[in-house]
Amino acid sequence: GVEYSLNGTTYQSSNSFTGLAKGNYTLYVRNQSDNSCITPSVSVVTINAVPVVLVPTALSVVQPTCGVPSGSIAVATQSGVEYSLNGTTYQTSNTFTGLAKGNYTLYVRNLSDNSCVTPSASVVTINAVPTPPTAPTASSVVQPTCGVPSGSIAVATQSGVEYSLNGTTYQTSNTFTGLSKGNY
């Protein structure tokens, strides 16, 4: 035999109120047969603001190398969220390591409302592991002579590499001159 209201304004027969904006609400009930018989709630009910989650962005991307054959992505940190790649498993850490070649969409999800999920605007690509250079071979070796007391080595050329003798200083030229006696 009662009607319900928020903040004592419009009364309705249903005890449910939906579509509420953030704010504080005092609940009221009144007798249907005597609308001067009204009782307010002892405390207010608060509807919080919709949780805000920013669009995730990559803070850093580390591509695979010959030495480390997997990539990593660090997502720019936000407070109160957890992170995911491709919207599957979520974690509290913003860093993902051991990633294989592929495209990854970043996701953040609000910790207090797991229905509040935001994907990145674009994908982050982890490249394939670079192809290692082929084993170097000498294309020519010039030995010292009485007239030229030093030797030289030319390494067979490859595209996109640098050259070194004994793995120390690297150079773009594939030719090493002025070499003294020794194994290289």
Side-chain angles (χ1 to χ4, degrees):
V2 297
E3 296 176 305
Y4 305 90
S5 173
L6 296 180
N7 297 334
T9 55
T10 306
Y11 282 85
Q12 64 185 38
S13 59
S14 172
N15 66 339
S16 294
F17 297 89
T18 60
L20 300 176
K22 77 173 187 163
N24 295 320
Y25 296 91
T26 301
L27 310 175
Y28 285 84
V29 291
R30 80 175 174 191
N31 189 303
Q32 286 178 325
S33 60
D34 179 0
N35 65 7
S36 68
C37 189
I38 298 172
T39 306
S41 60
V42 175
S43 59
V44 298
V45 175
T46 301
I47 299 294
N48 297 327
V50 175
V52 175
V53 177
L54 303 175
V55 173
T57 57
L59 181 63
S60 68
V61 177
V62 177
Q63 296 294 347
T65 65
C66 291
V68 180
S70 62
S72 67
I73 299 171
V75 182
T77 57
Q78 297 182 42
S79 62
V81 301
E82 54 190 354
Y83 307 89
S84 173
L85 295 181
N86 298 333
T88 55
T89 304
Y90 283 84
Q91 63 185 40
T92 56
S93 171
N94 68 319
T95 303
F96 298 88
T97 59
L99 300 176
K101 170 189 171 186
N103 292 323
Y104 296 91
T105 300
L106 313 176
Y107 281 81
V108 290
R109 177 171 72 181
N110 188 293
L111 287 171
S112 62
D113 178 0
N114 66 8
S115 70
C116 190
V117 176
T118 304
S120 57
S122 59
V123 297
V124 176
T125 300
I126 296 295
N127 298 329
V129 177
T131 303
T134 58
T137 57
S139 61
S140 74
V141 176
V142 176
Q143 297 292 342
T145 64
C146 291
V148 180
S150 63
S152 66
I153 298 173
V155 181
T157 59
Q158 295 183 44
S159 175
V161 300
E162 295 178 309
Y163 304 90
S164 172
L165 295 180
N166 298 334
T168 55
T169 306
Y170 282 83
Q171 64 185 38
T172 55
S173 172
N174 68 322
T175 303
F176 299 88
T177 60
L179 300 175
S180 59
K181 164 186 165 187
N183 294 318
Y184 295 94

